[in-house]
Amino acid sequence: MAWRCTGSTNDELVSNLVRTAIITSHHVDAAMRQVDRAHFAPNNPYDDAPQYIGYNVTISAPHMHAYALESLSNYLKPGMCALDIGSGSGYLTACMAAMVGTSGKAVGIEHIAELVDKSREALEQHYPEWVRSGCIKFVAGDGRQGYSDDSPYDCIHVGAASPKTPTELLRQLKSPGRMFVPVGTTDQRIKVFDKDVHGNVAETDMMGVVYVPLTDETLQRNS
């Protein structure tokens, strides 16, 4: 996968994700071109592989971000509200903000305060209009509990593996709404949870993955 999609520029990376049909919608294509990965990933930003960003945290490979955005795209329309759990570098939250626009809101929650600060700095430097509009924000906190202040959310993305179905996050999901989350410990699977207009939840198994565990700050820093 990585060798097929890696590019020398952000546009080339996204074009390769389109060429391999990982990106299929114009909405995702436009967002990933608008948000330059190099603004959030200082090392090898256009390689289609996870990259270390400090504090025992990695930014996911671009193809995984593309899969997530494609899966959530119907819930990332202008005016909608999205939550990114374990926002890390802030890159995917920024892509979500590009998709929901200034009439919507994208919230990134990350328990490493230093990464939250870096995300905010990247925004203020490269996307100051989003800061002014309030369509995106980053908060330091325990993402396992979600972020109730801006709930309910049209969609939720989880960037680390939950050992079991994250019921608290499902409670913060709108009806209808969708959550994209890796679930499991040794055997991890991407699960897509769809909540219908009546609040009923359906689960779809998407693919096998390897993610860092969704854990607390102390374990994250010391892992």
Side-chain angles (χ1 to χ4, degrees), residues 181-195:
V181 52
V183 178
T185 51
T186 54
D187 180 22
Q188 298 177 7
R189 308 287 300 180
I190 291 290
K191 304 283 188 177
V192 174
F193 293 93
D194 285 299
K195 185 185 285 190

Side-chain angles (χ1 to χ4, degrees), residues 55 88 110-119 121 140 217 221:
Y55 308 98
E110 166 61 52
H111 55 207
I112 304 297
E114 294 91 337
L115 291 177
V116 172
D117 290 341
K118 287 184 177 181
S119 297
E121 289 168 7
E217 179 183 358
R221 289 182 183 273

Side-chain angles (χ1 to χ4, degrees), residues 17-218:
L17 290 166
V18 172
R19 176 179 56 81
T20 53
I22 295 171
I23 294 176
T24 59
S25 69
H26 171 73
H27 199 29
V28 173
D29 184 348
M32 291 187 72
R33 289 186 195 276
Q34 184 176 0
V35 180
D36 194 323
R37 192 172 160 91
H39 296 158
F40 298 89
N43 301 313
N44 306 310
Y46 309 129
D47 284 2
D48 192 22
Q51 301 296 330
Y52 185 68
I53 57 173
Y55 308 98
N56 296 308
V57 176
T58 59
I59 178 175
S60 296
H63 72 268
M64 286 308 305
H65 282 155
Y67 278 130
L69 293 172
E70 284 287 341
S71 177
L72 299 172
S73 61
N74 284 338
Y75 302 88
L76 286 169
K77 294 180 179 178
M80 290 185 168
C81 189
L83 177 64
D84 185 18
I85 303 288
S87 53
S89 70
Y91 168 76
L92 187 66
T93 317
C95 289
M96 289 174 151
M99 293 175 74
V100 301
T102 55
S103 61
K105 190 169 212 177
V107 179
I109 184 167
E110 166 61 52
H111 55 207
I112 304 297
E114 294 91 337
L115 291 177
V116 172
D117 290 341
K118 287 184 177 181
S119 297
R120 289 173 178 157
E121 289 168 7
L123 273 184
E124 289 167 0
Q125 181 177 356
H126 301 289
Y127 309 95
E129 68 281 7
W130 292 350
V131 177
R132 290 192 296 269
S133 74
C135 73
I136 184 171
K137 74 175 182 181
F138 292 100
V139 294
D142 188 344
R144 294 173 297 179
Q145 303 306 312
Y147 187 68
S148 60
D149 288 18
D150 291 301
S151 66
Y153 300 94
D154 293 282
C155 67
I156 298 175
H157 168 267
V158 185
S162 176
K164 58 184 180 180
T165 299
T167 54
E168 176 56 35
L169 301 185
L170 283 173
R171 278 194 283 271
Q172 295 182 27
L173 195 62
K174 281 185 184 178
S175 298
R178 173 172 284 190
M179 178 164 60
F180 181 101
V181 52
V183 178
T185 51
T186 54
D187 180 22
Q188 298 177 7
R189 308 287 300 180
I190 291 290
K191 304 283 188 177
V192 174
F193 293 93
D194 285 299
K195 185 185 285 190
D196 68 18
V197 294
H198 304 293
N200 301 310
V201 177
E203 175 184 331
T204 302
D205 186 303
M206 187 171 173
M207 69 179 81
V209 290
V210 179
Y211 274 68
V212 298
L214 187 63
T215 185
D216 62 40
E217 179 183 358
T218 300

